[in-house]
């Protein structure tokens, strides 16, 4: 009897440990927020990014490697629209991208601003990279509110947006920024001979070592657009974006690509109220603070016509159309969906969302975590719909 007690205690401990083990392997890796329609997505295997799917392909070609002949580099730049006051945030983002990727490839940086960059900004950003930095001022005709925007209507519209709690509603520069990023940046003379860009914002984070030339990957695999995060938008910022798009399609039905992602653009099952408030648009979009893309698409006749149609309709100012939904709708309708690539292997954060791969190459983010904000933010993930309608690419 004297040894029975310790044996029983040991047995109990073993059972408890076994239960804990079972719980850890059963527990879903991404906690989900409220919202019944999301329950069945918890086990979506696509939501557990597991590294570089193209890794082998990439490694066999010496042209992708960091030590490749510099002439193997392609026509591309890192690109940032940024204010002088955001210098510290820009240095932080640059530091991350240089450390994880660009010190191996030395692609140039091109900085844009509607006012000249300060000497301090130029000195400190250039000191953060071995690559060349270029500093460009945006011409007034690309930045100023266009002549056809009615000031009274603009002021009235801002009140409605504010009542609807639309962030940055009454900040004119935010509307200008969204319009420039939608349809003007690639028309800047400094980019005239440039084909690819990687958009970088101040304060973003990069977590994973990336050892291949992503621009070459885009070019050799015939990709137009690369994203990391795919979200729902605030429907009240874009009530007439889809109606205007529908008018445009009616006028140019031949512009629709036969292998388009229309289902992703117009889904109303997963978040019906978003589709309803956006008048037919799912609001799903590639989060454009990260973009790796081929400007050939933005420079095509179809995108030029689409942007001009939207620009004339005035929604960049009377509503708060973002460059993310505008780019995403255009890609979803007018581009071959197989040319859109999810960079699952690029660990990325722009507050409050992450793309955090499951890979030993990543440090500083929690594998598979989508947000470190409040739980309801998990509902904002639209990747499950991208995988459902388009796949992994
Ligand atoms: P959010 O990500 O939607 O909250 O918007 P941000 O404030 O991050 O702006 C998006 C990008 O545009 C960032 O790279 C900013 O630095 C840049 N940006 C926004 N407004 C202006 C502006 O008025 N002038 C300049 N030069 N850059 C701007
Ligand atoms: Mn931002």
């Amino acid at each position: 009897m004297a040894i029975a007690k310790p044996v029983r205690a040991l047995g109990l401990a073993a059972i408890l440990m076994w239960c804990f083990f079972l719980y850890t392997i059963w527990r879903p890796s991404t906690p989900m927020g409220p919202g019944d329609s999301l329950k069945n997505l918890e086990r979506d295997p696509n939501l557990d990014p597991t590294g570089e799917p193209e890794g082998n392909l990439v490694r066999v070609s010496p042209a992708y490697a960091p030590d490749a002949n510099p002439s193997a580099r392609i026509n591309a730049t890192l690109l940032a629209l940024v204010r002088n006051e955001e210098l510290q945030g820009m240095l932080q983002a640059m530091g991350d991208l240089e450390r994880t990727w660009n010190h191996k490839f030395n692609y140039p940086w091109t900085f844009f601003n509607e006012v000249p960059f300060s000497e301090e900004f130029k000195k400190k950003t250039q000191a953060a990279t071995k690559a060349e930095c270029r500093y460009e001022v945006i011409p007034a005709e690309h930045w100023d509110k266009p002549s056809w925007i009615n000031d009274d209507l603009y002021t009235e519209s801002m009140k409605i947006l504010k009542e609807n709690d639309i962030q940055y509603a009454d900040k004119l520069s935010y509307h200008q920024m969204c319009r420039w990023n939608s349809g003007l940046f690639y028309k800047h003379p400094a980019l005239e001979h440039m084909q690819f860009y990687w958009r970088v914002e101040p304060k973003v984070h990069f977590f994973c070592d990336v050892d291949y030339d992503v621009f070459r990957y885009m070019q050799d695999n015939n990709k137009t657009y690369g994203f990391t995060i795919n979200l729902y938008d605030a429907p009240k910022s874009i009530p007439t974006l889809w109606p205007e798009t529908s008018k445009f399609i009616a006028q140019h039905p031949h512009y629709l690509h036969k292998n388009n992602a229309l289902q992703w653009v117009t889904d109303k099952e997963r978040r019906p109220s978003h589709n309803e408030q956006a008048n037919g648009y799912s609001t799903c979009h590639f989060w454009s603070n990260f973009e790796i893309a081929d400007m050939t698409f933005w420079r095509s006749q179809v995108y030029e016509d689409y942007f001009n149609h939207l620009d004339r309709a005035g929604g960049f100012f009377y509503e708060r159309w973002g460059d993310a939904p505008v780019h995403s709708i255009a890609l979803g309708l007018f581009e071959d969906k197989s040319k859109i690539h999810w960079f699952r292997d690029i660990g990325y954060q722009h507050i409050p969302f992450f793309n955090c791969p499951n890979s030993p190459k990543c440090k500083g983010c929690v594998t598979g975590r989508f947000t470190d904000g409040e739980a309801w933010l998990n509902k904002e993930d639209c990747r499950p719909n991208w995988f459902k309608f388009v796949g992994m690419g």
Side-chain angles (χ1 to χ4, degrees), residues 211-278:
D211 297 319
Y212 63 94
D213 182 340
V214 297
F215 290 126
R216 179 159 288 278
Y217 171 80
M218 296 284 290
Q219 179 169 283
D220 290 358
N221 292 279
N222 203 10
K223 300 289 181 190
T224 297
Y225 191 87
F227 69 95
T228 46
I229 294 170
N230 195 314
L231 294 177
Y232 287 91
D233 207 354
K236 292 219 159 79
S237 67
I238 44 170
T240 68
L241 176 57
W242 185 252
E244 281 303 334
T245 302
S246 302
K247 272 192 230 165
F248 178 77
I249 301 170
Q251 288 161 13
H252 307 276
H254 57 287
Y255 276 164
L256 275 182
H257 199 284
K258 50 184 187 324
N259 191 31
N260 62 47
L262 183 66
Q263 286 176 295
W264 171 73
V265 173
T266 57
D267 177 66
K268 53 172 174 266
E269 261 169 46
R270 194 157 175 271
R271 269 190 120 171
S273 71
H274 270 52
N275 183 299
E276 205 172 291
Q277 293 175 69

Side-chain angles (χ1 to χ4, degrees), residues 174-388:
Y174 196 86
H175 296 261
Q176 292 169 296
M177 178 273 287
C178 291
R179 176 174 177 260
W180 185 79
N181 274 323
S182 295
L184 294 155
F185 75 93
Y186 50 87
K187 293 173 181 153
H188 194 287
L191 297 178
E192 197 183 338
H193 302 293
M194 200 61 85
Q195 188 181 354
F196 291 90
Y197 67 97
W198 181 335
R199 177 172 159 187
V200 184
E201 279 197 6
K203 292 208 275 199
V204 301
H205 286 277
F206 296 94
F207 302 108
C208 311
D209 288 328
V210 176
D211 297 319
Y212 63 94
D213 182 340
V214 297
F215 290 126
R216 179 159 288 278
Y217 171 80
M218 296 284 290
Q219 179 169 283
D220 290 358
N221 292 279
N222 203 10
K223 300 289 181 190
T224 297
Y225 191 87
F227 69 95
T228 46
I229 294 170
N230 195 314
L231 294 177
Y232 287 91
D233 207 354
K236 292 219 159 79
S237 67
I238 44 170
T240 68
L241 176 57
W242 185 252
E244 281 303 334
T245 302
S246 302
K247 272 192 230 165
F248 178 77
I249 301 170
Q251 288 161 13
H252 307 276
H254 57 287
Y255 276 164
L256 275 182
H257 199 284
K258 50 184 187 324
N259 191 31
N260 62 47
L262 183 66
Q263 286 176 295
W264 171 73
V265 173
T266 57
D267 177 66
K268 53 172 174 266
E269 261 169 46
R270 194 157 175 271
R271 269 190 120 171
S273 71
H274 270 52
N275 183 299
E276 205 172 291
Q277 293 175 69
N279 298 302
Y281 171 37
S282 66
T283 80
C284 289
H285 62 281
F286 309 116
W287 214 21
S288 60
N289 46 64
F290 175 106
E291 290 189 320
I292 298 177
D294 182 345
M295 287 181 273
T296 310
F297 179 73
W298 309 132
R299 290 167 175 152
S300 68
Q301 194 61 50
V302 41
Y303 189 75
E304 177 67 12
D305 290 349
Y306 180 58
F307 174 72
N308 285 336
H309 179 101
L310 296 183
D311 202 22
R312 284 283 162 178
F316 290 110
F317 295 93
Y318 304 139
E319 297 179 4
R320 207 218 56 199
W321 295 352
D323 50 287
V326 170
H327 280 182
S328 302
I329 291 176
L331 288 158
L333 299 180
F334 311 129
E335 183 52 295
D336 181 337
K337 66 187 178 193
S338 73
K339 294 188 175 184
I340 301 171
H341 178 67
W342 177 39
F343 276 104
R344 59 159 30 181
D345 53 329
I346 300 184
Y348 179 70
Q349 177 196 23
H350 176 298
I351 291 173
F353 299 113
F354 292 81
N355 181 58
C356 186
N358 177 13
S359 160
K361 291 189 173 193
C362 305
K363 281 187 204 73
C365 62
V366 179
T367 301
R369 177 189 268 182
F370 176 65
T371 181
D372 58 357
E374 292 175 39
W376 65 268
L377 287 170
N378 283 299
K379 275 200 302 201
E380 303 304 316
D381 191 357
C382 189
R383 278 177 308 177
N385 263 10
W386 182 257
F387 300 140
K388 176 175 168 191

Side-chain angles (χ1 to χ4, degrees), residues 80-84 86 112-115 138 143 167-168 171 173-174 177 181 199-202 289 350:
L81 170 72
V82 55
R83 306 178 191 93
N84 282 308
E86 294 173 300
F112 290 96
N113 196 345
E114 83 282 14
V115 297
I138 298 169
W143 190 259
Q167 207 188 3
Y168 309 120
K171 216 171 164 214
S173 64
Y174 196 86
M177 178 273 287
N181 274 323
R199 177 172 159 187
V200 184
E201 279 197 6
N289 46 64
H350 176 298

Side-chain angles (χ1 to χ4, degrees), residues 22-224:
L22 285 178
Y23 168 73
T24 53
I25 57 169
W26 161 81
R27 188 168 46 119
S29 55
T30 312
M32 282 282 163
D36 280 346
S37 58
L38 296 182
K39 273 196 181 129
N40 56 348
L41 295 165
E42 284 182 2
R43 267 165 227 92
D44 184 337
N46 293 322
L47 283 178
D48 176 27
T50 46
E52 297 168 33
E54 305 80 10
N56 293 335
L57 178 150
V58 160
R59 266 179 229 110
V60 291
S61 166
Y64 288 97
D67 53 359
N69 184 328
S71 65
R73 299 285 175 265
I74 57 169
N75 198 5
T77 186
L78 302 168
L79 185 158
L81 170 72
V82 55
R83 306 178 191 93
N84 282 308
E85 309 84 84
E86 294 173 300
L87 172 60
Q88 284 315 317
M90 196 68 239
L91 291 173
Q92 183 269 295
M94 276 183 90
D96 273 20
L97 190 51
E98 287 289 332
R99 186 188 71 251
T100 54
W101 186 70
N102 198 42
H103 80 273
K104 298 163 235 178
F105 299 96
N106 296 305
Y107 277 100
W109 287 84
T110 312
F111 297 96
F112 290 96
N113 196 345
E114 83 282 14
V115 297
F117 282 108
S118 67
E119 287 312 311
E120 186 195 10
F121 188 97
K122 293 189 207 172
K123 204 173 102 206
K124 292 194 171 158
T125 46
Q126 181 61 80
T129 175
K130 304 193 284 299
E132 182 193 348
C133 291
R134 299 163 191 165
Y135 303 91
E136 305 293 342
V137 175
I138 298 169
E141 66 269 26
H142 283 182
W143 190 259
D144 290 350
K145 180 152 53 68
S147 58
W148 59 85
I149 298 300
N150 178 300
D151 284 338
D152 295 336
L153 188 53
Y154 170 67
T155 311
E156 281 309 303
S157 309
M158 287 313 94
K159 287 186 194 150
I160 298 171
L161 288 179
K162 273 203 87 163
E163 279 162 24
N164 283 322
D165 278 335
I166 296 301
Q167 207 188 3
Y168 309 120
D170 52 354
K171 216 171 164 214
L172 175 62
S173 64
Y174 196 86
H175 296 261
Q176 292 169 296
M177 178 273 287
C178 291
R179 176 174 177 260
W180 185 79
N181 274 323
S182 295
L184 294 155
F185 75 93
Y186 50 87
K187 293 173 181 153
H188 194 287
L191 297 178
E192 197 183 338
H193 302 293
M194 200 61 85
Q195 188 181 354
F196 291 90
Y197 67 97
W198 181 335
R199 177 172 159 187
V200 184
E201 279 197 6
K203 292 208 275 199
V204 301
H205 286 277
F206 296 94
F207 302 108
C208 311
D209 288 328
V210 176
D211 297 319
Y212 63 94
D213 182 340
V214 297
F215 290 126
R216 179 159 288 278
Y217 171 80
M218 296 284 290
Q219 179 169 283
D220 290 358
N221 292 279
N222 203 10
K223 300 289 181 190
T224 297

